[in-house]
Amino acid sequence: MTAELVRLSREPLQAIVDTPEALEQCVRALAAGEGPIAFDAERAHGHRYWPKAYLFQIRRRGAGTWLIDPLPFEVNGVARLEVLSETTGDALWIVHAASQDLPSMRDDGIRPRRLFDTELAARLLGEPSAGLGPLMERKLGIRLEKAHSADNWATRPLPESWLHYAALDVDYLLELQEVLAGELEAMGRLEWAEEEFAAILTQFLAPPVPRVDPWRRLKGITSLKSPRQLAVARALWTERDTIARARDRPPGRILPDPAIVDLAARVRSAGPLPGPADMASIKGFQHRTAQRFRSHWLRALAAVDSMTHDDYPARRAPSDGLPHPRTWDRHHPEAAELWWQVKAAVDELGCELGLQPSLVATPAIIQRVVFDHAQEPDFAEALRRHGAREWQIEFLAPLLNEVSGRS
């Protein structure tokens, strides 16, 4: 059966909510509606530094679809939209790929009490593709017009075609949730999903934990071997990040990662640091935007030149986590032997359930439990303490007991 192409939402677009009066009207409509709430957010990834939302879409039966511009409701750069979740109380919020939207919802005060993630639900059903478009085609027989996902949603005013696109993202979400919930219940996996949804809410509505040494995420940084090279990479990354924050632009559009790594790779253990001539020979530094901030890059290099060796970063990132399992053989041979047996068993279990192994057993959790087994032999308790869901523990604890008994 050919899916029906849908270009417009089922209802005429309402005026975008961008005033207190319009927000009050929206809230009244949502409060008068019934049932779950479909929700989505549009960001400007690749166009802006900050990952905030520039449009919220919300729909409820009896209330219709509302498009909310968060910018007019900002106070000190953060929108105050708590009223959306406060008004709807214990209603179920339906979001596709909620881990992407919940951080911007949290930042703007929108805190659902209950969640249904259609993307995660599809993964728990073992669907071959969990994207919104493929799910709509398979489950509802419709194909959504998709044309503006990568556009700059910070644009104002938003073109009408973009608004139609945005409205479509929630127009059929309520029906999709009903189908997926029914299939989960039929498979006996609805409780699994509810545990996962609750965990997502807890994780992503909590205050974010700052990254340690975020500059180490530079693409290609593993090619740098000496602390002095890493010091240059760190200094350039920090200078670039400061510029990007101030201008609200993606860092890579100020200076590409490969340009930073290329310049740092030219650093020797002693002698002068690279200078203007080296920059001029690197493609990323030749771009007009990068040239505009040439004095900033030179300032960063000068700062490194004045450092002592003790000021350089360590070659390896600081970590209080586990070593990678492939390194266990040398110092933790028993854990290594158990790990490879457990990994194979979890992979087999995932195949039996029709699920990705990482969904059955979160790698970080299972590695920790295996590594600590000698000190904490109760697998069920260890899994629970490290955050495994009860449905996972029901499968994993017996499996781990069986595998460890063979080791």
Side-chain angles (χ1 to χ4, degrees):
M1 183 181 70
T2 303
E4 175 191 358
L5 176 61
V6 178
R7 291 188 172 92
L8 301 174
S9 57
R10 289 173 287 183
E11 302 158 354
L13 283 179
Q14 302 190 67
I16 196 165
V17 175
D18 57 6
T19 67
E21 295 75 20
L23 180 60
E24 183 178 350
Q25 182 183 1
C26 168
V27 168
R28 285 201 304 267
L30 291 171
E34 60 181 13
I37 293 164
F39 189 87
D40 190 33
E42 304 293 348
R43 289 169 296 279
H45 179 72
H47 300 278
R48 291 288 186 269
Y49 178 90
W50 303 104
K52 68 181 182 180
Y54 288 90
L55 188 73
F56 289 130
Q57 305 101 282
I58 191 166
R59 178 178 177 82
R60 195 179 197 184
R61 288 192 175 95
T65 297
W66 297 80
L67 305 180
I68 303 168
D69 181 355
L71 301 185
F73 303 100
E74 286 187 351
V75 177
N76 296 325
V78 177
R80 302 300 302 272
L81 293 170
E82 298 90 337
V83 65
L84 292 175
S85 51
E86 292 172 353
T87 299
T88 53
D90 289 328
L92 180 68
W93 285 56
I94 305 166
V95 184
H96 187 79
S99 61
Q100 299 179 24
D101 290 344
L102 283 171
S104 57
M105 294 167 69
R106 173 200 64 214
D107 292 345
D108 289 345
I110 304 171
R111 295 176 170 269
R113 298 179 189 175
R114 295 195 298 138
L115 175 74
F116 189 104
D117 183 338
T118 50
E119 190 262 354
L120 182 50
R123 292 177 59 207
L124 287 167
L125 288 168
E127 288 290 331
S129 175
L132 183 59
L135 283 177
M136 289 290 185
E137 290 192 42
R138 289 197 302 274
K139 305 301 181 182
L140 303 180
I142 61 174
R143 182 160 55 92
L144 302 181
E145 181 75 42
K146 304 294 286 184
H148 301 293
S149 60
D151 286 334
N152 182 4
W153 286 87
T155 301
R156 292 298 183 272
L158 287 166
E160 185 172 340
S161 62
W162 295 18
L163 299 180
H164 283 292
Y165 160 87
L168 277 176
D169 275 348
V170 294
D171 204 20
Y172 293 89
L173 208 52
L174 298 174
E175 290 88 341
L176 179 62
Q177 183 270 339
E178 291 175 348
V179 172
L180 295 177
E183 293 183 4
L184 284 167
E185 188 167 18
M187 291 185 69
R189 297 183 179 185
L190 186 57
E191 289 187 4
W192 300 7
E194 290 171 346
E195 285 187 43
E196 294 294 331
F197 302 155
I200 289 175
L201 272 179
T202 299
Q203 177 183 354
F204 286 97
L205 291 184
V209 178
R211 291 184 180 274
V212 177
D213 286 356
W215 59 272
R216 291 185 185 270
R217 300 181 71 206
L218 277 166
K219 185 177 181 180
I221 197 169
T222 54
S223 65
L224 304 180
K225 303 304 181 183
S226 77
R228 197 179 190 214
Q229 290 176 333
L230 292 172
V232 167
R234 180 181 62 183
L236 291 171
W237 182 95
T238 302
E239 195 69 36
R240 182 188 68 173
D241 193 64
T242 301
I243 296 167
R245 282 172 174 261
R247 295 178 174 272
D248 195 13
R249 292 292 182 269
R253 291 197 176 185
I254 305 294
L255 182 65
D257 281 10
I260 293 177
V261 174
D262 192 347
L263 189 67
R266 303 186 183 197
V267 173
R268 300 292 175 259
S269 58
L273 290 173
D278 297 280
M279 289 185 190
S281 67
I282 295 173
K283 184 178 179 180
F285 284 96
Q286 296 168 4
H287 295 163
R288 183 172 59 182
T289 302
Q291 289 180 352
R292 181 180 178 184
F293 297 104
R294 179 172 174 273
S295 63
H296 293 257
W297 317 136
L298 293 174
R299 181 171 63 195
L301 292 172
V304 174
D305 204 28
S306 66
M307 291 179 182
T308 66
H309 189 276
D310 291 341
D311 297 323
Y312 297 158
R315 289 185 60 184
R316 298 186 182 278
S319 173
D320 56 0
L322 289 179
H324 194 280
R326 64 172 172 262
T327 69
W328 293 1
D329 283 331
R330 179 177 299 177
H331 300 293
H332 311 281
E334 293 183 2
E337 181 182 0
L338 179 58
W339 162 249
W340 294 115
Q341 293 186 43
V342 166
K343 185 178 184 303
V346 169
D347 288 347
E348 183 178 350
L349 175 60
C351 289
E352 292 174 2
L353 296 173
L355 299 176
Q356 296 172 334
S358 61
L359 193 56
V360 179
T362 306
I365 293 176
I366 204 75
Q367 289 174 17
R368 171 54 73 181
V369 169
V370 169
F371 191 80
D372 291 344
H373 176 54
Q375 291 74 38
E376 191 169 13
D378 187 332
F379 282 121
E381 185 56 35
L383 287 163
R384 187 173 293 111
R385 188 169 67 84
H386 288 293
R389 328 296 185 229
E390 290 301 319
W391 75 269
Q392 295 171 323
I393 295 171
E394 289 181 13
F395 286 105
L396 293 174
L399 181 147
L400 290 168
N401 282 320
E402 179 183 354
V403 172
S404 64
R406 300 198 304 258
S407 297

